[in-house]
Structures are given as structure tokens and as C-alpha cells.
Amino acid sequence: MKPELLAEAPPIIKEFLGYMGTIRGKSPKTVEEYYFDLRTFFRYIKQKRNLVPPNTKFEEIRISDVDLALIKTITLTNVYEYMNFLATERNNLASTRSRKVSSLRTFFKYLTNKTGKLDTNPVQELETPKAKKSLPKYLTLEQCLELLSKVDGSTKERDYCILVLFLNCGMRLSELVSLNLNDVNHNKKTIRIVGKGNKERIVYLNEACIDAINRYITVRPKDALIDKNALFISKQRKRISPKTVQYLVKKYLSEIELEDYSVHKLRHTAATLMYQHGHVDIRVLKDILGHENLGTTEIYTHLSNEQMTNASEANPLSHVKQREPLKIQIKNKKGPV
């Protein structure tokens, strides 16, 4: 977390952020998100209770004076009013409000269960806003092949290798840029990936990945490197940055007319292709992607189910219904049967 942001935080929140970073092993980016969420909440509380001068802009409200005395006055009603404020005043989507609920839950659980500074947790019964679950966008197999065919230029071996790892290993952007040379085990054909919360996982490399890595290694810069350990090197001879990777991925996607797609869509693509074409077990897919919960991975099974439904609906017999049997009148002595 950036020092200037930490300097603005009150001691009680600094302690919480330190716990999340060192004890819980959350990434600096995740710790920052916790701080931003808590800052927004306490800015709202101070504004709502007239604890700041009138006409103070919301973004200029400082929370450095927030202490345990103020926190003890927070009620569940306050939090629900805050949720309404986020929806109506800040136009936050349900997914964003859901994340902010999670941050508040974690913070108050820490104060109640870990430090004992609160006797009761005011947000224990707080409900999470229901977010609409949308199926992830992904590239088809044909689009993947077309994308790879577009790679060219002075860094084509590097760029091709990056795309191949995204499409075959399903790694996150942060995971790819943090790869080191020694993370690749050529003998065992594996790669070590450090994911969220510094959790490591080993992913096996297929033939395409091994070939792409070997071709890149032969042309990878070796002299005057700022970061000699980094696998992917930029033109400035340092570890490639997330922005550079995002730029080159966007560039190649635009060449196949998929400008709206992003790096993360390549991760979705890898997962979808493995599940649908490789028939990978959902639990194995969970480990490959580095998901903490199986429920996160299950979205790819839902994706497959939707496709199977669409395929069934496309059948020309899909709308043919059984006709009512004809009533045949047979005359006999007793009348019609």
C-alpha cells in the first residue's frame, strides 16, 4: 500500500490494514481496496452526522480522526442507510456495493473477534446486495487461432509467448508480469504461479507453452537488465509492466475486431476451452485458475449449460409438440365409444 495513503489512515484502521497485509497475506492492491472502502464509509458517517464543515466536498473529508469511540456508535441502520447512499447518490452497482459490504464485515469482524475492541458486531446481520451474475465473455477456438496469427514485430516471440500462456494457463495479469525465469521448470514442464494472497500453485505446461517459452528465451535480452530475474522483459530492459501487457493484448485483439475484450477475457477463454473442449474436472480447473472457492469456478459449468440449452433450442424439432389424439366415433348398439 502506498505510504501517502497509509499516512491518511487513523491508527485503528492502520492496525487493521497491517493485519490484512501481514497476517492474512492480502496483496497491497487488496489492502488498498479495503482502505478505500472504509474511507468512503467513514466519510459518509462524518458527513451524515455533521462532523465536517458545511459544504465540504465528499472527497475532501479526512478520516484521520476516526477512533474507537466513533466506531462504537455505528449501527446496522447506519450501514443500510450507507448502502442506499451508494446506490442512489454514487450510482454504485450491486457488485460494487457487495464488495463494500465485504470490507465492512471484515473490518468489524476483526475488531470484534480478533482484537476484542468491540463487544458486539453491528454488521453481523448485514445482507449482501444481490448482484446479477453475468456469464464471462470469451474467445472461440477460431478467434484464438486468429489472434495468435496476428503476432508480429520486433517483440513477436515475447508477445506470442504471453498470449499463449494466457490462453493455455489461464493466469491473471498480475501473475504473468510477476513470473521469474526460475519459475519455469523445463525438466518437469511446469510453471510456478504466485496468485492472490501470495498463494503459490504449480501448473503443467503443454507443448504449445513449452515451445513458445523456448523460442522466447532464445531472443530474450540478457545484457544491462534492470531485473535479471524477470521472465518477460520490456524494451526498457526491465520487468514488463501490467500496462504494457494490457496494451499489446488490446492491440492484437483489435486486429481481430475484438476491441471491447481485455486481458482478463483471455483468462476466461482458457478456462472455457479447458472445460468445454478438454472436459477438465471442475475441481482441477479450480486449482489451475487459483480460485479459492469452487463456487467461483462453477460459472464455467453454467456457461456450458447455457450453450447446451441453445444447442437444444436450435434443433428443428424443438418446438414440435404432441398433438391431441383424434376422437373417432364408432357407432354400435350402445352408442358412440
Side-chain angles (χ1 to χ4, degrees), residues 7-11 35 46 61-67:
E8 298 174 2
Y35 173 65
K46 291 188 66 174
I61 298 175
R62 301 183 65 83
I63 65 163
S64 55
D65 57 344
V66 170
D67 56 12

Side-chain angles (χ1 to χ4, degrees), residues 309-318:
T309 300
N310 292 339
S312 176
E313 290 292 332
N315 191 307
L317 297 175
S318 63

Side-chain angles (χ1 to χ4, degrees), residues 116-228:
K117 292 181 178 180
L118 292 180
D119 295 328
T120 58
N121 185 345
V123 301
Q124 189 167 353
E125 302 299 324
L126 181 61
E127 297 178 11
T128 303
K130 289 186 177 181
K132 179 182 178 182
K133 290 187 177 181
S134 57
L135 297 173
K137 293 182 179 179
Y138 64 96
L139 280 70
T140 63
L141 180 58
E142 291 74 19
Q143 287 172 329
C144 291
L145 295 173
E146 189 180 2
L147 177 68
L148 293 173
S149 71
K150 296 296 182 182
V151 178
D152 201 1
S154 60
T155 58
K156 60 182 180 181
E157 290 85 3
R158 183 200 67 185
D159 297 354
Y160 186 87
C161 186
I162 286 173
L163 292 177
V164 165
L165 290 182
F166 274 138
L167 291 171
N168 284 274
C169 301
M171 60 183 70
R172 302 176 178 93
L173 173 62
S174 59
E175 294 170 346
L176 182 127
V177 298
S178 66
L179 288 174
N180 292 323
L181 276 170
N182 59 9
D183 288 331
V184 180
N185 189 319
H186 294 273
N187 294 326
K188 294 183 178 180
K189 297 182 178 180
T190 60
I191 190 166
R192 184 180 71 100
I193 301 173
V194 180
K196 289 184 177 181
N198 291 322
K199 292 182 180 179
E200 297 182 7
R201 65 184 188 276
I202 301 297
V203 173
Y204 285 87
L205 299 170
N206 57 29
E207 185 180 347
C209 292
I210 292 293
D211 182 69
I213 290 173
N214 288 340
R215 287 176 182 271
Y216 165 62
I217 291 296
T218 60
V219 299
R220 175 184 174 273
K222 298 178 177 63
D223 301 323
L225 297 180
I226 297 175
D227 189 341
K228 296 180 180 180

Side-chain angles (χ1 to χ4, degrees), residues 18-33:
Y19 167 78
M20 297 305 295
T22 57
I23 306 301
R24 294 287 301 277
K26 299 297 182 181
S27 69
K29 183 178 179 181
T30 300
V31 173
E32 276 191 10
E33 288 176 351

Side-chain angles (χ1 to χ4, degrees), residues 4-15:
E4 60 268 24
L5 290 176
L6 194 61
E8 298 174 2
I12 195 166
I13 291 182
K14 284 181 182 177
E15 293 170 8

Side-chain angles (χ1 to χ4, degrees), residues 3 12 31 50 88-89 95 129 145 185 201 244 259 267 273 287-288 298 308 315 318:
I12 195 166
V31 173
N50 299 317
T88 59
E89 299 295 326
S95 57
L145 295 173
N185 189 319
R201 65 184 188 276
T244 299
E259 294 88 351
R267 173 171 161 86
L273 294 179
D287 293 338
I288 293 174
E298 286 177 344
M308 287 190 288
N315 191 307
S318 63

